[in-house]
Amino acid sequence: MNTKISLCMIVKNEGRHIRRCLESAKGAVDEIIVVDTGSTDDTVSTALECGAKVYHFPWNGNFSDARNASLEPATGDWILFLDADEELAEDSPGALHRVVANSSFEGYIIKIINYLGEEGRIEPNQDVVFRLFRNRKEYRFRGAIHEQITGAIEEHTNKPVFGLAEGVTIRHYGYMDSDINNKDKINRNLRIIKTEIDEHPDDHWLRYHLGVELYRAGNYLEAAREFSKAAEGIGAVSQLVRYIVMCYHDAGEPEKALQEALAGIEHFPGYADLYYFAGRMCMKLKDYIRARDFLLKAVSLPEQPVYYASFYGVRGFRSYYHLGEIMEEFFNNSEALKFYMASLRDNPDFAPALRKIVHLLEPRKNAERAWEYLKQFSFCTPRANLLVGDILFRKGAYGIALEYFQKAVENQGAASEAQLWAAACHIQERRYDQSLGILDRFKPGNRLYLQALLNKMLVFWLQDEARQVQALSEEMAANGVTEEMKNVAGLFSCTPEKGNRSKRLIPGEEGRELLLDMVKRLLGMNETDRAVYLLHSLDPESLSGLLLDMARIFYDYEQGAGAINLLRQKLAGSEDGETHFLLAEILRVAGHGPEAGLHYRRAWEISPGVPRYCLRQIHLHRCRWEQLLQEARQKYPADNTFKNLSEEALSG
Amino acid sequence: MKNIITLAMIVRNEAENLQKCLESVSGQVDGIVIVDTGSTDDTLDVARKYTDKIYNFIWSDDFSAARNFAIERAGGNWILSLDADESLVAGTGDLKVLVNEAEHEAYMLPLDIPSGDGSGRYNRALALRLFKNQERYRYRGKIHEAVHDSGNGLVGVAGGPVIMHKMVSPREVNRKKGRNLTLLKKVCAEDPEDNFLQYCLGAEWMSMGKPGLALPYLRRAYKNSAGDSSVYRTAALICLIDCLTVQRSLDEAMYVCQEAMDSYPGYADLFYHCGQLYMEEKAFSPALEWFGRAVKCGLPPALYNHRDGTESFLALHGMGYCHEMIGCPDQALKAYRQALDCNPYYANPAGSLFMLLYAGRGPGQALQYFMEEGLLGNRSIALTAANLFFNGGYPGLARRCLEIYLNGGESDEKLLFNLGKYSTLSGKPGDGINFLSQVPEECDFYPDAQLYGTIALLLACRYEEARGRALEMWKKRDKCAAFLALKLGRFMEKGGDLRCPGTVAGADTASAAMKLYGECCLYLPDGPDYESQRAFKLLEGLEVVLKGSSRGFLSLIEYYRGKYQQGDQLFNYKMNLGQKIRAF
């Protein structure tokens, strides 16, 4: 006999999600029951369209009552319950039927993948949930929120009751930031759950759920307290331990988080997530050696059991990424590069690793090598190609950047973002006609039209064609340019020599971004005077917040003297380790050893946790030692002492 | 019968010490006998104020003969024996009470010897100094003479009065080193069976830094004296362990140490040495245990030779170091802190504590800890911390340490000099000039104070005054430094020629320049006044001077090698802190 499955759901205003859910379940279940608790959107009609039997149940503030109402009309042998923001993954329908056929269990837990994060940067992570059980009258939900049914099932049978539904996967989209930010929902949940706890103060699982809601609401310390209380009752459960660690982490208490992670490792010595978090905490505490060991341990662990609900990437790209960061702290760039490569190989969508790789490859200086490395990855979507191009462009590697933008153009077509970028690359390499040819394809009405105009203005400004610049500026004004862009574009109406110094710009965020991008591009073209002109058009206060960033850009583009000026200006206002460090780096390279030493020392005094500051000082002394030895050998060629010393130095 | 106590002593050129000694026995003894062995100073004038029983004795290279001569001239029935550089500590006991209630005919009295580390603490020993005026108690030994009881009676141990040895300056210790060697060698050869003399000769060689020569004597003295008094046998034992340790015969040292524990139970010094030996072997966990035992054990029995601190601050310092080495910085911190609490004048743990904080938490945090814990109110700790800050390249923080100390503490020439130097190199040459000019002319720091004063003037752009100061130095004594200062001044002002002769007035220009270069490299102004290019100009000038001779060049190279290695070590040390990694 064929085993029948009923899908039972409760919904309210789920018009956005319900079709996806019901479509995914169609082949998997034999009937669909949807209980609506008061939708005012098209949820009900969509459900009917998808072939569901729809019922209504007036909302009474109790999730269990609604759930149980959805069970009443079910005729299947098994009940599957899902939320509207969930769906069954592709292979699940077949697997679901295999699981229930000839089953000896009363219910099943199912693997669920939660998709977290904003769109475009989605970070999936795994968990397991109880969602499938035999349809028996005794099995009914309990609890006003986080309604549970497992308790009821266990009370009515004394066999081992639950299994894992092999091959079945639920996808859950409800944690996407746009949804999770829905404060009303969190507050509603918190309210219900607190009332429940007042009624059942000894229910530790309720406390666990309270902790989860508090965590989502951003009340990390309060959440940690509830989790710890829950742990007293239900013992160390893997996710509970991880939650406690995460609470302290997010509350900015790394010592406590580390302590909890270490305690957790005692219970779950194979749980990768705990090593990952321990490693992260050690990084926060600047204990890099230990951090490295924890992260290496995390990546060395075997595949995690489903019930650990291990986060995606802790045994892979995440840990590799942070290992790369640690290596960078010790100036071990070749190792760092290896780790970043491993990270990107594990997850080719992980943009931070890509950024680091490009940074370390110094594509402006060594385009060949960068190309060799990047070729190892197939960035197949236009989006991916755009991203790689963007990163390369920002590093001043316009040649290879163009290659990636052109690949994206093949997919995106004319007058697209990729085209705009390609035109920018041409400008950077002074192929002005070619760039204008592309930019002319952007017409009014195109959302990138203003950007195209700005680039055109840049082209003419670079050639000192004031009339053209003026015309373009009028064109911009006629097409609804923002105040911010207008101000930046306005700077192109003067030449650096004649620049009007009396009027200073106070840009907002958009203007600042635009301006910094322009400065960077000008430096990338060796147009230092123009870059400095743009910078000095800022009002001093706006500039002061940008000094370090600007200096770094100057330094990246081999404008050491300009960078030194900016850094000195910065230090006259406020001191910080990074500014001293960068200044020391530039002075060291320029041969001002003792002065560089002074700034390394100050940097370390301000931020003693940064190994780079120490290491560079050692490096400085080592270089001075070797340089002086060489100098001495040239000056006193007959003196064997120096000859012997340098041989000794070479061998040691 | 009424007890009568006579002080019997021998003296030579002790005018400086004698008065204090004789004052201290007033009311404790009934008579004084002084035997002079050839003073050429006012010793006898001092002596006459206290007694008329003064005798002359012709020196015959035999301490015992002289002492016994004194005893034989004493009346009364008890003898107290003191050296001129010793005195009785008031309020620590009454000799009359002691002899009136005597159960023995001879007593050992506590003898405190200053530990000589500036800590103001003492090592306590026991010495037979009070005995019946009878034929059977006479001194023996031409040197390291001791009272000997030919009747082999029991000797009592008194808790007081305490004899205090005068504080000995390191210079005096140096002067006395080896003084007795010839005589000792002679008497040892005459009487090879005397274990005590063998020990004395070994100890003498040790004090002269010749452990290889000391070892056979110490071995023999310790091995053959199994039945002898623990007073000097434990001294020989500890000296032997010390000797074996410096000789790197660690296994034998360990064997001797552990074997002795059976014979001398409750002897903290042995536990401490055992910890030291394990530490030498880098076996930090067992070392920790032994240091712990030393602390738990407390003071050893009075008759054992004891080094102050082995049962407390020395052992705690060792514990701190071991904790650090096995990666427990928090426990290390605690142990160092306890060591300082036990003896705030023993500054070594302060140095270790400082480095622990400095490397682990950074210079700012280190200063904060020392401030908050009130440690900088202690002169030697303040100086230690300041010196370490300075050498690490933080003259401003070094200056802060001394400023904080001076908030409550007394100023002195060393503080003034350091404060002046630190001020100058932390971008406050004006303050530097002020402090340095207060250093008095007759003290050891004066020449350097003059030199740094000149440097401060150069940094303050006061070239004319700098030249004047340099010329003054030239007239006095420091021609080489004066020459250098003049050259540098001209170079900084007008970019003058910096060629220097190899020596000026017999002093090496390269080494003078190097010393200055090394310290000026530590220049770091307090605030963001990074326009102080004059300091870099000064360094540039010094570098030219140094490169002018191959010797100077070599010292410059060695300087950077040193800095590089020092930095490397500090970094490794820093990275090892807290590195104890769980055994997964």
Side-chain angles (χ1 to χ4, degrees):
Chain A
M1 192 193 79
N2 198 10
T3 320
K4 267 181 71 183
I5 305 174
S6 303
L7 168 65
C8 301
M9 304 176 55
I10 57 171
V11 296
K12 182 177 177 181
N13 290 342
E14 296 285 4
R16 262 191 325 145
H17 297 301
I18 192 159
R19 185 179 298 274
R20 179 181 57 205
C21 174
L22 297 184
E23 295 289 339
S24 79
K26 257 184 188 166
V29 300
D30 303 279
E31 71 176 345
I32 299 177
I33 292 157
V34 171
V35 167
D36 184 77
T37 58
S39 293
T40 51
D41 65 355
D42 59 353
T43 304
V44 170
S45 55
T46 311
L48 286 170
E49 268 173 45
C50 294
K53 297 174 189 164
V54 181
Y55 300 84
H56 183 75
F57 183 83
W59 177 247
N60 64 357
N62 188 311
F63 278 94
S64 288
D65 290 351
R67 283 262 184 234
N68 290 333
S70 78
L71 303 181
E72 292 303 329
T75 60
D77 307 297
W78 289 81
I79 307 274
L80 170 73
F81 61 103
L82 294 174
D83 285 337
D85 55 3
E86 297 172 342
E87 67 169 333
L88 286 175
E90 293 78 18
D91 297 337
S92 301
L96 195 60
H97 279 282
R98 274 197 300 282
V99 166
V100 294
N102 307 317
S103 167
S104 58
F105 290 111
E106 289 299 297
Y108 284 92
I109 52 173
I110 297 178
K111 188 164 96 181
I112 184 166
I113 301 175
N114 296 306
Y115 292 88
L116 302 164
E118 311 150 42
E119 200 163 351
R121 279 193 48 206
I122 291 167
E123 301 180 352
N125 81 65
Q126 261 189 41
D127 204 342
V128 287
V129 285
F130 185 84
R131 285 305 168 81
L132 183 64
F133 58 94
R134 284 186 198 275
N135 186 5
R136 290 178 58 182
K137 269 204 288 300
E138 300 83 8
Y139 300 164
R140 287 298 181 262
F141 286 93
R142 295 171 190 168
I145 187 165
H146 292 291
E147 61 283 7
Q148 299 287 319
I149 197 161
T150 48
I153 298 172
E154 279 168 320
E155 277 168 25
H156 286 93
T157 173
N158 45 15
K159 295 179 289 181
V161 282
F162 305 128
L164 173 73
E166 296 281 355
V168 185
T169 305
I170 298 170
R171 293 202 186 108
H172 178 210
Y173 300 95
Y175 287 164
M176 304 265 241
D177 279 358
S178 53
D179 281 354
I180 212 166
N181 282 339
N182 192 337
K183 278 193 187 142
D184 290 345
K185 208 165 168 181
I186 293 173
N187 286 336
R188 179 203 64 190
N189 286 355
L190 278 174
R191 231 178 10 253
I192 303 175
I193 222 166
K194 278 178 177 159
T195 327
E196 276 286 278
I197 286 184
D198 287 342
E199 284 168 30
H200 310 282
D202 294 331
D203 188 332
H204 298 284
W205 279 106
L206 269 177
R207 284 206 187 277
Y208 173 81
H209 292 301
L210 177 59
V212 173
E213 293 299 332
L214 286 166
Y215 179 78
R216 284 187 198 159
N219 280 338
Y220 304 120
L221 287 178
E222 215 179 311
R225 267 197 301 280
E226 294 303 333
F227 283 127
S228 303
K229 268 190 230 161
E232 283 167 23
I234 52 186
V237 174
S238 55
Q239 277 119 302
L240 178 61
V241 170
R242 187 181 59 190
Y243 256 123
I244 295 177
V245 173
M246 285 163 62
C247 285
Y248 287 117
H249 166 246
D250 289 328
E253 293 194 12
E255 287 102 341
K256 197 91 179 66
L258 178 61
Q259 200 186 324
E260 293 289 348
L262 292 176
I265 287 170
E266 300 274 335
H267 281 102
F268 305 102
Y271 193 5
D273 298 41
L274 294 178
Y275 294 96
Y276 171 76
F277 279 108
R280 297 286 293 129
M281 295 311 102
C282 286
M283 282 179 80
K284 277 242 160 68
L285 297 168
K286 314 265 189 210
D287 189 349
Y288 293 103
I289 305 282
R290 248 174 123 197
R292 179 198 60 184
D293 293 344
F294 281 126
L295 292 169
L296 284 173
K297 176 74 182 177
V299 294
S300 76
L301 286 170
E303 174 132 19
Q304 300 286 287
V306 177
Y307 52 85
Y308 272 176
S310 180
F311 284 153
Y312 185 47
V314 296
R315 292 184 307 114
F317 69 95
R318 283 179 207 286
S319 289
Y320 285 129
Y321 180 77
H322 297 303
L323 282 163
E325 286 186 313
I326 293 171
M327 290 304 148
E328 270 197 283
E329 273 300 337
F330 290 85
F331 283 112
N332 193 342
N333 286 354
S334 60
E335 278 298 302
L337 188 61
K338 277 188 210 157
F339 279 124
Y340 290 134
M341 292 292 280
S343 173
L344 196 63
R345 249 178 246 124
D346 185 50
N347 178 5
D349 294 327
F350 192 55
L354 179 60
R355 252 182 224 114
K356 287 289 196 179
I357 290 169
V358 173
H359 170 73
L360 287 178
L361 289 172
E362 301 188 315
R364 190 173 162 80
K365 285 189 195 135
N366 196 341
E368 285 287 299
R369 175 157 171 259
W371 187 238
E372 283 303 310
Y373 269 85
L374 292 174
K375 264 198 333 208
Q376 298 176 30
F377 302 97
S378 55
F379 303 103
C380 34
T381 64
R383 224 193 144 68
N385 280 311
L386 260 183
L387 179 68
V388 185
D390 184 352
I391 293 171
L392 286 163
F393 187 89
R394 281 170 203 283
K395 284 282 155 196
Y398 308 115
I400 355 178
L402 184 59
E403 305 260 354
Y404 281 96
F405 290 134
Q406 274 165 348
K407 267 195 228 171
V409 170
E410 286 165 25
N411 294 297
Q412 284 198 334
S416 60
E417 206 178 337
Q419 280 284 26
L420 188 68
W421 279 109
C425 289
H426 288 307
I427 299 176
Q428 292 307 110
E429 303 199 314
R430 297 186 194 273
R431 291 185 293 270
Y432 297 139
D433 291 343
Q434 224 165 322
S435 74
L436 288 176
I438 297 172
L439 293 169
D440 281 340
R441 288 181 221 158
F442 290 82
K443 302 293 181 206
N446 185 316
R447 70 184 170 90
L448 299 170
Y449 181 57
L450 287 168
Q451 290 282 348
L453 287 181
L454 189 69
N455 275 286
K456 275 191 196 173
M457 281 174 89
L458 177 63
V459 170
F460 291 117
W461 183 57
L462 284 165
Q463 301 175 88
D464 291 326
E465 297 193 32
R467 282 225 321 273
Q468 302 272 27
V469 172
Q470 182 57 31
L472 284 164
S473 139
E474 279 156 25
E475 174 69 14
M476 262 187 170
N479 280 278
V481 67
T482 61
E483 193 65 21
E484 296 266 295
M485 192 193 269
K486 196 178 116 199
N487 286 336
V488 174
L491 296 170
F492 293 157
S493 55
C494 290
T495 57
E497 300 82 44
K498 287 186 278 178
N500 179 2
R501 291 284 168 88
S502 60
K503 210 178 116 208
R504 293 290 174 93
L505 210 60
I506 306 176
E509 196 163 338
E510 185 198 347
R512 205 161 46 226
E513 290 273 301
L514 268 177
L515 199 78
L516 285 190
D517 275 348
M518 280 301 164
V519 170
K520 213 185 260 188
R521 287 175 66 176
L522 289 166
L523 288 172
M525 302 175 77
N526 279 323
E527 293 277 356
T528 316
D529 292 345
R530 286 179 199 271
V532 172
Y533 156 72
L534 286 195
L535 269 188
H536 284 158
S537 63
L538 279 171
D539 89 304
E541 206 158 308
S542 307
L543 184 62
S544 69
L546 297 173
L547 286 167
L548 180 58
D549 285 339
M550 287 319 313
R552 203 169 267 139
I553 293 171
F554 271 68
Y555 181 54
D556 279 348
Y557 289 97
E558 285 136 26
Q559 301 285 338
I564 289 179
N565 283 335
L566 292 165
L567 293 168
R568 289 235 160 90
Q569 217 174 317
K570 167 89 171 59
L571 289 176
S574 69
E575 292 191 74
D576 65 281
E578 213 42 38
T579 305
H580 278 291
F581 175 70
L582 190 56
L583 187 50
E585 288 283 278
I586 301 169
L587 288 165
R588 176 177 59 86
V589 175
H592 301 294
E595 202 178 348
L598 179 156
H599 290 286
Y600 285 128
R601 269 181 281 146
R602 181 68 91 211
W604 188 62
E605 182 187 357
I606 296 171
S607 312
V610 185
R612 278 180 298 138
Y613 301 167
C614 254
L615 281 169
R616 267 304 199 249
Q617 212 180 332
I618 298 168
H619 180 66
L620 173 74
H621 290 139
R622 201 200 156 96
C623 291
R624 290 275 286 155
W625 169 42
E626 286 167 353
Q627 276 163 11
L628 287 165
L629 252 178
Q630 242 179 357
E631 211 181 303
R633 276 191 76 177
Q634 276 165 13
K635 192 165 174 188
Y636 305 98
D639 198 327
N640 274 330
T641 320
F642 296 118
K643 201 174 147 235
N644 295 339
L645 274 178
S646 28
E647 273 157 20
E648 202 182 299
L650 282 176
S651 63
Chain B
M1 187 188 96
K2 192 175 181 297
N3 284 311
I4 293 169
I5 308 172
T6 306
L7 167 65
M9 58 195 299
I10 60 171
V11 296
R12 172 152 67 177
N13 292 341
E14 296 285 2
E16 248 180 71
N17 300 323
L18 191 58
Q19 176 157 1
K20 186 177 178 205
C21 172
L22 297 179
E23 286 288 341
S24 77
V25 297
S26 133
Q28 298 261 25
V29 299
D30 305 289
I32 297 174
V33 172
I34 291 179
V35 168
D36 183 68
T37 60
S39 291
T40 52
D41 65 356
D42 303 335
T43 303
L44 295 178
D45 294 338
V46 178
R48 269 181 214 111
K49 287 185 212 158
Y50 297 89
T51 179
D52 50 4
K53 292 197 166 178
I54 299 172
Y55 303 90
N56 200 15
F57 182 82
I58 295 167
W59 181 246
S60 60
D61 264 359
D62 185 337
F63 281 95
S64 289
R67 288 204 192 273
N68 291 333
F69 179 80
I71 293 168
E72 277 148 22
R73 263 131 204 90
N77 57 342
W78 286 87
I79 299 287
L80 172 70
S81 179
L82 290 179
D83 280 344
D85 51 7
E86 295 171 344
S87 55
L88 294 182
V89 182
T92 53
D94 190 328
L95 282 181
K96 300 230 159 131
V97 174
L98 182 60
V99 296
N100 287 337
E101 294 169 2
E103 289 170 10
H104 299 279
E105 305 215 308
Y107 282 93
M108 295 185 117
L109 296 178
L111 171 62
D112 281 353
I113 301 159
S115 49
D117 52 11
S119 68
R121 291 181 68 111
Y122 305 92
N123 286 313
R124 173 158 293 191
L126 284 168
L128 208 174
R129 293 297 184 83
L130 182 68
F131 45 90
K132 277 277 177 73
N133 188 1
Q134 292 172 2
E135 195 74 32
R136 56 189 278 198
Y137 298 108
R138 283 295 180 267
Y139 273 93
R140 270 200 204 171
K142 288 181 175 166
I143 184 164
H144 289 289
E145 69 285 3
V147 176
H148 187 83
D149 172 14
S150 59
N152 284 326
L154 277 175
V155 174
V157 175
V162 174
I163 304 169
M164 166 78 73
H165 195 279
K166 181 190 131 179
M167 170 87 86
V168 190
S169 73
R171 207 183 290 174
E172 218 166 322
V173 171
N174 267 330
R175 198 168 50 79
K176 284 192 173 166
K177 259 184 208 163
R179 195 183 60 172
N180 296 327
L181 194 63
T182 325
L183 185 53
L184 259 177
K185 279 202 268 194
K186 202 177 116 197
V187 296
C188 267
E190 283 169 13
D191 191 359
E193 298 300 308
D194 190 326
N195 296 319
F196 178 67
L197 286 175
Q198 299 278 325
Y199 153 69
C200 289
L201 185 52
E204 197 70 25
W205 279 124
M206 275 297 280
S207 79
M208 294 172 70
K210 305 251 191 247
L213 293 172
L215 189 55
Y217 293 103
L218 293 171
R219 265 202 192 119
R220 213 174 310 145
Y222 177 65
K223 200 175 142 220
N224 296 338
S225 60
D228 292 7
S229 153
S230 62
V231 177
Y232 89 84
R233 191 170 189 249
T234 51
L237 166 63
I238 298 298
C239 200
L240 174 61
I241 293 170
D242 274 340
C243 182
L244 288 166
T245 308
V246 275
Q247 288 285 81
R248 306 300 299 166
S249 303
L250 300 182
D251 288 345
E252 190 186 342
M254 188 74 85
Y255 174 77
V256 172
C257 196
Q258 302 224 6
E259 191 206 38
M261 283 176 197
D262 290 336
S263 325
Y264 304 106
Y267 192 7
D269 296 53
L270 286 180
F271 301 145
Y272 170 77
H273 273 92
C274 206
Q276 284 285 56
L277 287 167
Y278 274 114
M279 210 164 82
E280 294 279 342
E281 304 260 32
K282 300 201 185 317
F284 299 112
S285 297
L288 259 177
E289 266 177 49
W290 286 106
F291 286 135
R293 276 183 75 174
V295 173
K296 222 169 125 192
C297 169
L299 280 171
L303 286 173
Y304 297 174
N305 175 289
H306 172 56
R307 178 166 164 210
D308 182 36
T310 49
E311 85 297 359
S312 69
F313 57 91
L314 291 176
L316 284 162
H317 187 193
M319 285 172 87
Y321 180 76
C322 293
H323 278 308
E324 259 192 69
M325 288 300 119
I326 57 177
C328 302
D330 296 340
Q331 270 116 306
L333 188 101
K334 221 171 103 190
Y336 290 143
R337 197 71 193 76
Q338 281 174 335
L340 280 176
D341 286 341
C342 287
N343 179 2
Y345 297 101
Y346 178 66
N348 289 6
S352 308
L353 178 62
F354 180 91
M355 285 316 290
L356 178 71
L357 292 163
Y358 178 82
R361 302 186 195 168
Q365 294 274 317
L367 179 65
Q368 202 181 340
Y369 182 91
F370 272 65
M371 269 167 66
E372 282 170 2
E373 296 284 310
L375 294 170
L376 295 173
N378 175 318
R379 182 176 177 275
S380 67
I381 294 178
L383 279 167
T384 303
N387 184 43
L388 290 169
F389 268 133
F390 182 61
N391 286 329
Y394 295 98
L397 300 179
R399 198 194 68 232
R400 290 279 296 132
C401 288
L402 299 188
E403 282 170 353
I404 292 164
Y405 169 73
L406 284 174
N407 260 338
E410 291 260 316
S411 167
D412 60 52
E413 52 219 35
K414 186 173 183 184
L415 284 164
L416 281 171
F417 170 68
N418 283 330
L419 201 50
K421 184 163 82 177
Y422 300 157
S423 300
T424 303
L425 293 176
S426 60
K428 295 182 182 305
D431 293 355
I433 294 163
N434 180 24
F435 289 124
L436 290 166
S437 63
Q438 293 175 50
V439 176
E441 198 168 341
E442 62 277 9
C443 84
D444 291 349
F445 299 102
Y446 184 72
D448 276 345
Q450 286 287 90
L451 176 59
Y452 278 97
T454 317
I455 296 299
L457 288 166
L458 290 178
L459 291 178
C461 218
R462 287 153 67 175
Y463 297 118
E464 197 55 44
E465 286 168 74
R467 190 158 36 238
R469 176 78 55 97
L471 290 171
E472 205 181 303
M473 284 163 69
W474 178 269
K475 275 184 236 150
K476 279 178 185 149
R477 40 191 159 170
D478 228 1
K479 292 202 173 1
C480 185
F483 177 82
L484 209 53
L486 278 171
K487 280 257 174 190
L488 285 169
R490 206 172 311 139
F491 171 75
M492 286 173 70
E493 196 181 3
K494 303 174 187 144
D497 176 20
L498 279 169
R499 268 174 301 181
C500 296
T503 56
V504 174
D508 183 17
T509 18
S511 62
M514 194 57 229
K515 192 175 155 226
L516 205 52
Y517 183 84
E519 298 205 322
C520 290
C521 268
L522 304 171
Y523 176 81
L524 182 67
D526 271 359
D529 168 31
Y530 300 108
E531 301 306 319
S532 22
Q533 293 298 323
R534 273 190 294 278
F536 302 119
K537 186 84 184 167
L538 179 74
L539 284 169
E540 190 193 321
L542 282 165
E543 211 172 298
V544 176
V545 172
L546 287 166
K547 285 178 179 175
S549 70
S550 67
R551 208 146 37 120
F553 220 134
L554 183 63
S555 57
L556 193 62
I557 289 168
E558 290 299 304
Y559 170 77
Y560 277 106
R561 173 158 75 169
K563 289 292 272 186
Y564 155 60
Q565 286 169 343
Q566 192 191 330
D568 220 33
Q569 272 169 15
L570 180 73
F571 185 77
N572 290 335
Y573 170 69
K574 181 179 157 63
M575 282 299 137
N576 281 327
L577 288 181
Q579 201 195 327
K580 189 186 172 198
I581 294 157
R582 295 172 56 87
F584 294 125

